[in-house]
């Protein structure tokens, strides 16, 4: 008998889980209160991480990135702009990290190659000529909406149903276990229940709200990041600052624009994030450090969305107000141990590794259901994103 | 801070259509999209709108701002004086889902029919090894809404799909040129355009569909002259 | 017979709307710019010129009814109202012709970034030439 799984949230995580579970033979329904990828996923940098960004502070995450970066290149070539990336040292302090950085890249299996500064400036003529070192890595660029859509398109063609503008208002219980969701169709206000054998909470920064419906405490810390786009393609590849994760450390070229980001500050309500003007200013200044004249290009939008970072206790937040120290990894929970059998949560992570996150979630679900179908997302290529609509 | 009256067309299939005005105060360095999101988050959770990237890359937040097709994320608050009324309506010519949301499926079907590519070679920065970059077209549908021909001939391929065909014919990368020419040369293809030019004016992303359609016409004429010779050789 | 297309109409709603209502939507100038205005004027002057062609033939047919009928018409044609009609007609012909040149250029992909200037050029030139023509008519009259 086919088990029915309802996935709450159509960000990159929910979409990848839908793809993974349909390939394992589950019947999948995705419910999303807005448009696909309309919040956290939609407003991420669109950077297919080489992993190098995390080698210094989170080597396991770096390794995961490197592995899935290589995989996604094969699985969704028409979604990715495989233009590579550079890590550049802008000052002596950055330069002091170089040896450790190269060492850590080698250990984490992240391909990285130091290149002469002259070569870096030939590749990127607009780059600040005063850079002190340059390391070539295998970054890529994608549009997060289309990235997510590709997963959902493939899931749909394997039988998944995707309901957008459908908000979960409550969970449905069968005795003491979760057996579905009660949803409201935001287009007409109609409320109805969707029965399910399992419910996966992939609601990102809102995962806590879904957890609360089952009286499960999920400690998600919504941490916002600001990004600023300018209307000129200053660089052809991703430019990272050679330092541990810092504000304004990355410039991503998107079409004829350049997007600089990001910042990191905890927010109360992820529904609406008012971007402080000084953050826009700080991002433009950061862009100026990489590329003299960066801010002379016209402004092409400013954005911020909350990342769902998982923290074990609230002390972590006060100890590190910017929350840069909180893990970029992800966690999968089977809430049977919290008194809500049938409910699962997947929280945290990065869009780059959403396939891997879904694989782990699928394994957790298989373990709970006793189904042994293995993960197939490493082999099955994704359909073009247009297929979502056809 | 600036206070605006957002006059939004609400409703949808099976719901009556009516304008509803929200008074909202937002920072003036933000955009209309932020104002709409603030309305949704603080005043009316039933409001439907589409958005994702907030920097003109996903192509989701296209609406008509005071009658004109624009991306809400590229419409600065600072453009409007304090206390101004800004009218927001969904895009025309697409099926209406509700409030500011339309169903972009017809556009996506067209793009799928011509097997639109997603990345292209980088010719914007000079020298060095070859990079790739995304197509200019973000498939936001603004041109489809602004085009009177799309509004009167619903089988018209439309400005952005035609511009995409031009891109593919320029750089086919193994695609079937003949079927692309059939689509472009169809009565609902490049010849249907009336040069109203609104597609060029509303495009937020450097695509010039009118120029592309002209290119296609020249291409089709020249190809028509070449083809008899090709046929004879066979 | 129409070839079947690999995509559906933009909107079933549009496809079901009668043609005259779809055409009427062209007159909705809210939020539109020069290109649309040029398009609407092109349609209006085109329809006007077709109408004039038949009017012209009707007027010429009065010749068949003898010199009196023709003189009566000429007297009417000298009235200020009729000269105003002449002005509108001349503007229509000039605009339709000049904008026609603009559309030929744009239709072949030339000058799309300068289309608004081309429109204003055609428009203003039509008005100036109309004024000159009307002056000539008045001086002859």
């Amino acid at each position: 008998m086919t088990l029915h799984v309802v996935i709450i949230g159509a960000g990159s995580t929910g979409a990848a889980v839908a793809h993974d579970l349909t390939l394992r033979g589950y019947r999948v329904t995705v419910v999303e209160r807005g448009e696909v990828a309309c919040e956290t996923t939609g407003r991420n940098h669109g950077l297919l991480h080489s992993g190098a960004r995390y080698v210094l502070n989170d080597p396991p995450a770096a390794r995961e990135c490197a592995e899935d970066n290589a995989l996604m290149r094969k699985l969704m070539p028409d979604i990715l702009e495989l233009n590579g990336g550079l890590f550049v040292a802008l000052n002596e302090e950055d330069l002091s990290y170089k040896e450790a950085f190269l060492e850590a890249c080698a250990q984490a299996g992240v391909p990285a190659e130091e290149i002469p500064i002259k070569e870096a400036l030939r590749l990127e003529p607009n780059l600040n000529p005063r850079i002190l070192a340059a390391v070539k890595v295998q970054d890529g660029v994608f549009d997060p909406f289309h990235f997510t859509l590709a997963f959902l398109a493939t899931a749909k063609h394997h039988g998944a149903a995707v309901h957008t503008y459908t908000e979960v208002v409550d969970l449905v219980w069968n005795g003491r276990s979760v057996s579905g969701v009660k949803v409201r169709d935001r287009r007409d206000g109609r409320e109805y229940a969707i029965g399910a054998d399992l419910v996966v909470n992939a609601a990102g920064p809102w995962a806590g709200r879904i957890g609360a419906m089952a009286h499960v405490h999920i400690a998600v810390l919504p941490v916002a990041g600001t990004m600023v786009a300018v209307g000129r393609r200053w660089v052809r590849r991703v430019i990272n600052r050679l330092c541990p994760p810092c504000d304004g450390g990355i410039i991503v070229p998107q079409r004829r624009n350049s997007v600089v980001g990001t910042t990191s500050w905890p927010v109360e309500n992820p529904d609406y994030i008012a971007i402080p003007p000084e953050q826009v200013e700080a991002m433009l200044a950061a862009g100026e450090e990489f590329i003299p004249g960066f801010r002379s290009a016209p402004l092409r939008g400013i954005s911020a969305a909350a990342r769902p970072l998982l923290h074990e206790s609230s002390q972590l937040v006060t100890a590190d107000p910017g929350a840069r120290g909180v893990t970029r990894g992800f966690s999968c929970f089977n809430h049977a141990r919290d008194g809500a059998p049938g409910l699962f949560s997947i929280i945290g992570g990065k869009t780059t590794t959403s396939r891997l996150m879904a694989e782990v979630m699928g394994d957790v679900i298989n373990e709970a259901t006793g189904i042994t179908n293995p993960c197939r997302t490493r082999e099955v290529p994704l359909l073009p994103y247009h297929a979502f609509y056809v | 801070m600036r206070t605006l009256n957002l006059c939004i067309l609400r409703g949808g299939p099976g719901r009556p259509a009516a304008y509803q005005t929200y008074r909202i105060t937002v920072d003036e360095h933000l955009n209309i999209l932020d104002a709409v999101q603030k309305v949704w988050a603080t005043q009316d959770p039933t409001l439907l709108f589409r958005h994702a990237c907030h920097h003109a890359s996903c192509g989701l937040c296209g609406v008509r701002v005071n009658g004109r097709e624009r991306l809400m994320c590229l419409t600065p608050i600072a453009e409007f004086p304090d206390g101004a009324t800004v009218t927001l309506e969904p895009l025309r010519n697409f099926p209406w889902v509700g409030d500011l949301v339309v169903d972009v499926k017809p556009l996506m079907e067209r793009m799928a029919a011509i097997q639109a590519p997603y990345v292209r070679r980088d010719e914007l920065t000079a020298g060095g090894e070859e990079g790739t970059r995304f197509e200019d077209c973000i498939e936001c549908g603004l041109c489809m809404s602004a085009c009177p021909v799309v509004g009167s001939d619903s089988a018209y391929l439309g400005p952005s799909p035609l511009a995409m065909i031009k891109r593919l014919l320029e750089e086919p990368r193994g695609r079937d040129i003949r079927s692309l020419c059939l689509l472009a040369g169809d009565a609902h293809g490049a010849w249907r355009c009336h040069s109203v030019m609104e597609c060029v004016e509303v495009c937020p992303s450097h695509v010039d569909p009118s120029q592309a359609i002209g290119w296609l016409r020249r291409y089709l004429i020249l190809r028509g002259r070449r083809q008899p010779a090709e046929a004879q050789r066979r | 017979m129409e070839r079947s297309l690999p995509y559906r109409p933009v909107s079933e709603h549009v496809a079901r709307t009668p043609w005259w209502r779809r055409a009427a939507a062209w007159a909705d100038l809210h939020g539109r710019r020069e290109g649309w205005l040029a398009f609407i004027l092109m349609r209006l002057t085109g329809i006007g010129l077709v109408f004039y062609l038949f009017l012209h033939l009707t007027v010429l047919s009065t010749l068949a009814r003898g010199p009196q009928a023709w003189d009566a018409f000429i007297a009417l044609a000298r009235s200020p109202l009729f000269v105003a009609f002449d002005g509108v007609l001349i503007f229509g012909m000039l605009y339709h012709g000049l904008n026609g040149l603009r559309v030929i250029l744009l239709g072949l992909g030339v000058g799309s970034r300068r289309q608004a200037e081309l429109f204003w050029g055609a428009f203003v030139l039509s008005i100036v030439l109309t004024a000159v023509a009307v002056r000539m008519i008045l001086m002859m009259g």
Side-chain angles (χ1 to χ4, degrees), chain A residues 35 38-39 43 78 81 123 143 146 165 186-187 233 236 255-256 271 275 300 385-386 389, chain B residues 15 29 37 47 50-52 54 57 105 108 118-119 122 125 127 129 132-133 135-136 139 204:
Chain A
E35 178 57 86
C38 71
E39 290 292 342
R43 286 194 280 306
D78 53 347
E81 188 185 2
L123 293 175
D143 181 83
H146 297 124
Y165 302 105
R186 292 184 56 217
R187 286 160 295 198
R233 191 176 168 92
R236 32 193 354 193
R255 297 192 172 84
R256 298 200 192 193
D271 278 351
I275 304 164
R300 283 279 290 188
Y385 66 93
H386 288 126
Y389 297 97
Chain B
R15 280 198 292 151
H29 68 284
Q37 189 166 12
L47 180 66
R50 293 176 88 216
H51 65 130
H54 293 214
S57 166
K105 185 175 176 165
M108 296 303 171
Y118 196 58
V119 286
D122 188 331
T125 33
E129 72 203 69
T132 54
R133 73 179 174 99
E135 283 297 320
D136 282 330
E139 300 171 15

Side-chain angles (χ1 to χ4, degrees), chain A residues 37-316:
Chain A
C38 71
E39 290 292 342
T40 306
T41 301
R43 286 194 280 306
N44 78 35
H45 226 143
L47 164 56
L48 186 78
H49 278 284
S50 63
R53 168 53 61 203
Y54 303 105
V55 287
L56 287 175
N57 66 332
D58 194 350
R63 184 174 290 277
E64 289 167 11
C65 279
E67 284 171 10
D68 260 51
N69 180 309
L71 256 178
M72 298 321 288
R73 282 164 189 260
K74 285 185 228 130
L75 298 177
M76 46 161 53
D78 53 347
I79 301 288
L80 303 174
E81 188 185 2
L82 296 174
N83 46 356
L86 285 181
F87 272 73
V88 295
L90 292 172
N91 57 25
E92 292 295 334
E93 196 198 337
D94 291 355
L95 191 62
S96 69
Y97 287 111
K98 191 184 81 183
E99 295 310 320
F101 173 79
L102 288 170
E103 172 77 8
C105 281
Q107 283 200 347
V110 175
E113 174 204 348
E114 187 176 4
I115 58 170
I117 291 168
K118 218 174 145 186
E119 169 73 359
L121 291 175
R122 190 185 66 78
L123 293 175
E124 295 294 350
N126 293 322
L127 209 55
N128 189 339
R130 288 201 296 272
I131 57 168
L132 299 172
V135 178
K136 224 171 156 180
V137 296
Q138 294 182 347
D139 284 333
V141 180
F142 56 84
D143 181 83
F145 170 64
H146 297 124
F147 184 96
T148 310
L149 218 49
F151 276 114
L152 287 176
T154 317
K156 249 180 132 170
H157 283 255
H158 288 113
V162 182
H163 301 294
T164 48
Y165 302 105
T166 302
E167 184 166 15
V168 172
V169 290
D170 207 351
L171 297 174
V172 176
W173 297 81
N174 180 10
R176 285 174 49 227
S177 54
V178 175
S179 67
V181 290
K182 197 174 145 203
V183 294
R184 182 189 300 125
D185 187 330
R186 292 184 56 217
R187 286 160 295 198
D188 54 15
R190 193 167 56 98
E191 291 197 4
Y192 59 99
I194 303 175
D197 299 294
L198 306 167
V199 173
V200 177
N201 169 14
W206 293 269
R209 285 193 201 170
I210 303 295
M213 291 173 190
H215 307 290
V216 174
H217 177 65
I218 301 172
V220 182
L221 177 65
V223 178
T226 300
M227 271 170 281
V228 176
V230 297
R232 178 157 173 196
R233 191 176 168 92
W234 284 108
V235 287
R236 32 193 354 193
R237 46 181 68 61
V238 180
I239 308 294
N240 306 263
R241 187 160 183 175
L242 180 55
C243 65
C246 59
D247 283 1
I250 305 174
I251 294 180
V252 175
Q254 284 261 4
R255 297 192 172 84
R256 298 200 192 193
N257 310 316
S258 306
V259 188
V260 60
T262 168
T263 59
S264 199
W265 88 100
V267 290
E268 287 282 313
N269 179 5
D271 278 351
Y272 173 70
I273 300 164
I275 304 164
E278 57 273 15
Q279 292 217 357
V280 179
E281 185 53 36
M283 286 306 97
L284 288 171
E288 197 73 27
E289 279 193 65
F290 284 109
I291 289 149
F294 184 83
R295 59 194 311 162
S296 65
L299 204 60
R300 283 279 290 188
I302 53 178
S303 61
R307 316 172 180 93
L309 296 189
L310 196 68
H311 63 98
E312 294 308 317
S313 68
S314 52
Q315 275 85 21
L316 245 170

